[in-house]
């Protein structure tokens, strides 16, 4: 049983103005994508894994650009909380890059994926517990909304599921390696925050 239920359209609207709700929904999306990769085989696994890699890269980059800088100064002890989260994110990104170069049918793929899943899960839980709760308490509605806007600009770069019949620019975007995607995400976030 996951702590968060599968998101539906109503949740999308609820999360729209609240950066914490939005990020927690992404944590749920990430969990669902891990399930999808594990359950799928062949081409479907490859496709689900590409979406997982994209969402993880975009999610962590957006957190580093938007919520961590706020948390650092936003509440007592924030500096240390962010330092711990960044160390976890760095480790996860390294595993992610290693996995990204591996074929999804490689015998080493699944053990590595499960390791990444465990790390990502623990990291998300620590964020929710030690960082997000404080962000919600320390920021006003306008602050939560403006951070949410930046997160949404990033999210547009990582469609979590195929949208049959719906043409989206992001879905059709040619995607390069993880590092390039992170760079593009940074640009999109900074633009949304008005500091490019
Ligand atoms: Fe994170
Ligand atoms: Fe996160």
């Amino acid at each position: 049983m996951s702590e968060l239920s599968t998101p539906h359209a109503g949740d999308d609207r609820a999360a729209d103005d609240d950066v914490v709700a939005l990020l927690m929904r992404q944590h749920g999306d990430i969990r669902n994508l891990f399930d999808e990769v594990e359950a799928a085989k062949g081409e479907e696994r490859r496709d689900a894994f590409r979406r997982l890699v994209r969402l993880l890269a975009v999610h962590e980059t957006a957190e580093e650009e938007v919520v961590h800088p706020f948390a650092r100064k936003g509440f007592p002890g924030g500096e240390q909380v962010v330092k711990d989260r960044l160390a976890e994110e760095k480790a996860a990104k390294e595993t992610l890059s290693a996995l990204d170069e591996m074929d999804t049918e490689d015998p080493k793929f699944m053990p590595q994926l499960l390791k990444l899943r465990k790390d990502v899960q623990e990291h998300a839980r620590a964020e929710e517990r030690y960082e997000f709760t404080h962000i919600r308490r320390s920021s006003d509605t306008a602050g939560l909304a403006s951070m949410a806007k930046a997160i949404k600009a990033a999210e547009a770069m990582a469609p979590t599921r195929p949208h049959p019949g719906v043409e989206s620019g992001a879905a059709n975007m040619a995607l390069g390696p993880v590092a390039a995607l992170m760079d593009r995400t940074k640009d999109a976030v900074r633009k949304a925050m008005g500091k490019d």
Side-chain angles (χ1 to χ4, degrees), residues 59-60 63 68 89 123 127:
H59 174 80
E60 297 304 343
E63 283 177 341
H68 295 341
E89 278 169 16
H123 169 64
E127 275 176 344

Side-chain angles (χ1 to χ4, degrees), residues 33-42 44-45 48 110 113 117:
L33 275 172
F34 270 111
D35 283 345
E36 220 178 304
V37 176
E38 281 171 37
K41 291 212 162 47
E44 270 178 34
R45 173 178 285 178
M110 278 316 271
L113 184 82
R117 178 172 198 155

Side-chain angles (χ1 to χ4, degrees), residues 166-186:
V166 179
E167 288 309 312
S168 106
N172 295 328
M173 195 189 290
L175 288 150
V178 174
L181 176 58
M182 288 173 179
D183 282 344
R184 286 206 304 274
T185 303
K186 259 183 220 167

Side-chain angles (χ1 to χ4, degrees), residues 28-172:
D29 287 342
I30 288 165
R31 239 184 337 251
N32 291 343
L33 275 172
F34 270 111
D35 283 345
E36 220 178 304
V37 176
E38 281 171 37
K41 291 212 162 47
E43 204 48 55
E44 270 178 34
R45 173 178 285 178
R46 206 160 285 136
D47 174 68
F49 180 63
R50 293 315 308 160
R51 279 180 282 135
L52 174 63
V53 169
R54 270 186 255 162
L55 181 57
L56 275 174
V58 163
H59 174 80
E60 297 304 343
T61 303
E63 283 177 341
E64 283 168 23
E65 290 291 317
V66 182
V67 288
H68 295 341
F70 174 85
R72 251 192 209 109
K73 296 181 195 147
F75 54 90
E79 191 88 47
Q80 186 60 42
V81 166
V82 170
K83 206 175 154 204
D84 294 344
R85 299 296 79 76
L86 283 174
E88 294 162 358
E89 278 169 16
K90 185 166 176 279
K93 275 185 189 167
E94 280 163 10
T95 311
L96 188 65
S97 293
L99 264 171
D100 195 38
E101 284 161 16
M102 209 180 273
D103 188 83
T104 46
E105 299 299 307
D106 190 309
K108 280 181 260 161
F109 178 80
M110 278 316 271
Q112 279 288 319
L113 184 82
L114 294 178
K115 183 191 177 295
L116 178 69
R117 178 172 198 155
K118 188 172 165 282
D119 291 350
V120 165
Q121 194 82 15
E122 282 169 12
H123 169 64
R125 211 172 287 144
E127 275 176 344
E128 290 175 14
R129 192 170 299 168
Y130 304 117
E131 185 176 10
F132 293 177
T133 45
H134 294 290
I135 287 176
R136 210 172 239 159
R137 255 180 246 145
S138 320
S139 179
D140 56 14
T141 313
L144 292 174
S146 92
M147 285 190 274
K149 192 175 150 227
I151 298 291
K152 272 185 285 180
E155 195 179 60
M157 330 232 359
T160 51
R161 15 189 137 65
H163 295 289
V166 179
E167 288 309 312
S168 106
N172 295 328

